[in-house]
Amino acid sequence: MLSLQYLPIPPTINIRFANKPLMPHGASKHWAQQSRIRHGPTGSINPNSCLSKLSLAGVSECADQVELPEELKPELMPKHVAVIMDGNRRWAKSRGLPVQLGHRAGGQAMKQLALNCKKFGVQVVTIFAFSSENWVRPKEEIDFLMNLFEEVVQSDLKELILQKDMRLSILGNRSQLPESLQNLLSSSEELAKSNKGMRLIVACNYSGRYDITQAAKNIAAKVRNGVLQVEDINESVFQQHLQTNGIEFPNPDLLIRTSGELRVSNFMLWQLAYTELLFFNKMFPDFDEADLVEGLTAFQRRQRRFGGHKY
């Protein structure tokens, strides 16, 4: 069962949410007013969650030297965090800026998100960069995005690979992308092949339904060719035919979506079966380190039962 956490929600919807964050005894009213994440009845955020608790000494050189905020426990850190980076266009429009500047700001926020996750000990980060449904947008915007992707791969991703030891995986149907971008993505994956650090997964021209459909087709072909028997098909076999096959911790522990939208938008539909969901009511370019700390803290307060119980 997917765990939702957000506010406000109309009372007619059959999901329980709190009307305001639940605060520990003695927490200040100011913190409750300033909290930027919506909290449900499953838990709350420690009011001491702030960047002043974080020692930044040596952050750029070694994540192991980072002192975590006191409310975060390394043993409860999600291994895989997925992010739907929503709200770049609305961020720009609300400021009277061209849409293109919103996407550029989102690119910078993406890089910082990856660095912050690495700093806090997250092992896999998946970002939803471009959906297969995004092709319906104006051609001018699509052309800009494809060029921006190339810029980001050549600069930011290359920096993360060479200087931060990050590994790189690409999900999605590459055949529809410009050939120059396809080549850049492939060469970047190869460049990061021997790295040992955090894995960054970029979902570009990705569709969860397409992922599942292709897996079903590949399994059907193996049955037709006598390579696989119908009786041998199970969840494990199916998962081996998804695009996340071979990736350690392929199923996200935590999904974060910005911009206030309450849906998964055809993203990692198989992999999100037991993922904890958090929705932030702010646009992705504004998503910062403090928000990530709050999100990770909320995750660590969840009780993940996977169909069982702990009481």
Side-chain angles (χ1 to χ4, degrees):
M1 182 176 188
L2 296 180
S3 179
L4 301 175
Q5 189 166 312
Y6 187 74
L7 176 88
I9 221 64
T12 55
I13 296 180
N14 188 25
I15 306 177
R16 292 182 57 204
F17 293 92
N19 290 325
K20 59 183 178 180
L22 296 176
M23 303 302 297
H25 179 70
S28 68
K29 293 182 179 179
H30 174 73
W31 176 265
Q33 293 170 350
Q34 296 299 316
S35 180
R36 289 170 290 181
I37 188 173
R38 308 311 194 194
H39 302 286
T42 54
S44 59
I45 295 293
N46 189 317
N48 293 320
S49 172
C50 62
L51 296 181
S52 63
K53 300 293 184 180
L54 179 63
S55 171
L56 297 179
V59 162
S60 63
E61 298 299 327
C62 180
D64 294 337
Q65 297 177 4
V66 173
E67 178 183 347
L68 292 176
E70 64 179 22
E71 65 269 35
L72 288 180
K73 298 179 180 179
E75 67 273 16
L76 297 179
M77 195 66 65
K79 293 180 173 62
H80 185 168
V81 174
V83 181
I84 299 178
M85 309 182 299
D86 197 16
N88 292 341
R89 297 198 304 173
R90 280 169 282 173
W91 180 89
K93 290 181 178 180
S94 69
R95 289 163 172 75
L97 300 173
V99 167
Q100 290 84 346
L101 292 184
H103 290 307
R104 286 195 179 278
Q108 290 301 307
M110 180 275 294
K111 177 183 177 182
Q112 194 57 51
L113 170 70
L115 291 171
N116 289 335
C117 285
K118 178 181 186 296
K119 181 167 60 177
F120 292 141
V122 177
Q123 299 184 45
V124 182
V125 173
T126 299
I127 57 172
F128 200 4
F130 188 81
S131 166
S132 59
E133 285 84 10
N134 290 150
W135 292 107
V136 300
R137 293 185 178 184
K139 183 179 184 302
E140 180 183 1
E141 183 178 357
I142 295 296
D143 291 342
F144 173 83
L145 284 172
M146 294 299 119
N147 290 328
L148 178 61
F149 291 157
E150 292 195 18
E151 290 180 22
V152 170
V153 173
Q154 290 175 317
S155 58
D156 295 337
L157 289 188
K158 188 173 182 180
E159 176 186 338
L160 295 176
I161 291 170
L162 294 178
Q163 298 183 23
K164 302 301 179 181
D165 196 38
M166 288 192 190
R167 293 172 288 173
L168 178 67
S169 297
I170 308 297
L171 304 182
N173 183 3
R174 302 189 202 190
S175 65
Q176 296 178 322
L177 300 174
E179 185 176 353
S180 56
L181 179 55
Q182 293 183 47
N183 293 335
L184 271 175
L185 293 174
S186 297
S187 61
S188 297
E189 281 184 303
E190 186 65 26
L191 183 64
K193 197 172 183 178
S194 61
N195 286 357
K196 305 297 182 182
M198 186 191 82
R199 182 178 296 278
L200 178 63
I201 303 175
V202 179
C204 187
N205 194 27
Y206 176 83
S207 159
R209 289 178 176 176
Y210 177 84
D211 194 5
I212 293 172
T213 301
Q214 290 302 112
K217 287 182 177 180
N218 292 334
I219 291 173
K222 289 184 177 181
V223 172
R224 181 188 59 198
N225 296 330
V227 178
L228 188 67
Q229 300 298 314
V230 173
E231 294 76 15
D232 297 329
I233 301 174
N234 53 32
E235 289 188 11
S236 177
V237 169
F238 198 93
Q239 185 159 300
Q240 291 170 22
H241 290 79
L242 295 170
Q243 294 186 43
T244 47
N245 180 50
I247 295 174
E248 66 279 29
F249 314 116
N251 304 322
D253 301 298
L254 170 64
L255 171 70
I256 292 173
R257 178 167 188 159
T258 55
S259 87
E261 303 292 352
L262 297 171
R263 54 180 178 269
V264 297
S265 295
N266 198 12
F267 181 51
M268 303 187 84
L269 299 180
W270 175 282
Q271 296 87 344
L272 292 179
Y274 277 98
T275 300
E276 299 292 324
L277 306 183
L278 290 177
F279 299 98
F280 281 77
N281 192 25
K282 67 189 307 184
M283 305 306 158
F284 183 70
D286 289 329
F287 188 85
D288 57 21
E289 184 170 336
D291 297 310
L292 179 61
V293 170
E294 291 186 19
L296 294 174
T297 303
F299 171 83
Q300 293 192 356
R301 292 182 179 275
R302 298 283 181 89
Q303 292 186 12
R304 307 188 71 198
R305 292 183 286 271
F306 301 97
H309 62 79
K310 296 183 180 179
Y311 51 84

